[in-house]
Amino acid sequence: MPGSGPHKYTRLAMLLHWGMAALVCTLFAIGWYMVDLPKGPARGETFALHKSLGLSAFLLLVWRLAWRLRHPAPTLPVSVPTWQARLAHGVHWAFYGLLGLQPLTGYLSSSFSGYSTRFFGLPLPQWGHADPPLNQFFTELHVAGSLALLALLAVHLIGTLSHLLQPGENLLRRMLPW
Ligand code: HEM
Ligand code: HEM
């Protein structure tokens, strides 16, 4: 129902949103950097960091989704056209879906790489085995997922920033504590 109800996200929603945004940007930076490193200890350590942070993103997503399913988003101003509200909601749920799939394809690609997967040093059950075609398949899905996330982020940013230009529609403020 547009126009009624709270007009801002709660502090916890903001913390989870900006924490996730920072983590996802870091994962992109490390992901792109590490794939060009030559084989050696630096490459191994950077991959391990990417995997640990990526698994943390999954835990953060579970927390965020559990919270979100019990707390509806604040209502949008009535002046926001219906198609834009639908697009925004579609992008938000697509984010949740992709942020669930991305750690999964990463974990599967890692499981079939022949290396053990660790969470900040803690070895995870090693049920996979070295299988180059499967490793390649999940790696391709992982790369495709990262490109899809980038596309969503572009729509998300254009949407948010374009509303800064509309009087009374500063949607960014809904996600900022001040
Ligand atoms: C939301 C979470 C994640 C994001 C946004 C993310 C993003 C990325 C990006 C941008 C790359 C570089 C892809 C390229 O070559 O262009 C990458 C590579 C990679 N990621 Fe992730 N990642 C995430 C989670 C994970 C997890 C949880 C694991 C494993 C446990 C993982 C394992 C890998 C591996 C092994 C590669 C290298 C693939 C290759 O050999 O080319 N990622 N990731
Ligand atoms: C990778 C980075 C990001 C991800 C994954 C992400 C994801 C999301 C998701 C899933 C929501 C919906 C929250 C809900 O109702 O469940 C949301 C809302 C929002 N995001 Fe982001 N976001 C990112 C970066 C950003 C950035 C950089 C900005 C600022 C320019 C931003 C501004 C907002 C705003 C203002 C809302 C609230 C929209 C509304 O008023 O309804 N986000 N974001």
Side-chain angles (χ1 to χ4, degrees):
M1 233 207 306
S4 63
H7 294 290
K8 250 175 122 65
Y9 283 89
T10 65
R11 295 244 161 190
L12 181 62
M14 293 175 193
L15 192 71
L16 291 171
H17 175 268
W18 294 114
M20 183 69 106
L23 193 52
V24 168
C25 292
T26 309
L27 280 161
F28 268 93
I30 299 178
W32 284 332
Y33 167 75
M34 71 184 192
V35 288
D36 292 328
L37 287 175
K39 279 212 181 313
R43 183 179 167 97
E45 279 160 25
T46 319
F47 266 63
L49 179 65
H50 178 85
K51 293 177 189 182
S52 299
L53 291 177
L55 293 168
S56 312
F58 185 71
L59 296 179
L60 195 61
L61 175 78
V62 172
W63 182 14
R64 189 169 174 194
L65 259 186
W67 185 90
R68 180 62 173 80
L69 291 174
R70 277 182 246 151
H71 299 80
T75 48
L76 285 168
V78 271
S79 52
V80 174
T82 314
W83 72 269
Q84 288 183 11
R86 288 212 183 114
L87 179 64
H89 289 145
V91 168
H92 294 166
W93 288 103
F95 260 137
Y96 289 130
L98 272 177
L99 289 172
L101 284 177
Q102 193 63 4
L104 187 72
T105 54
Y107 176 70
L108 286 171
S109 121
S110 177
S111 298
F112 293 111
S113 68
Y115 299 100
S116 73
T117 310
R118 289 165 178 267
F119 182 62
F120 294 110
L122 180 83
L124 298 178
Q126 208 180 342
W127 51 270
H129 54 277
D131 187 324
L134 272 180
N135 174 245
Q136 177 74 19
F137 173 69
F138 288 116
T139 296
E140 276 166 20
L141 284 186
H142 196 63
V143 175
S146 69
L147 297 177
L149 266 176
L150 268 192
L152 279 185
L153 189 59
V155 178
H156 190 57
L157 288 182
I158 292 169
T160 303
L161 299 180
S162 68
H163 280 283
L164 292 181
L165 306 173
Q166 316 277 328
E169 279 183 22
N170 187 340
L171 301 183
L172 187 56
R173 267 211 330 246
R174 290 152 59 88
M175 208 32 122
L176 293 174
W178 55 87

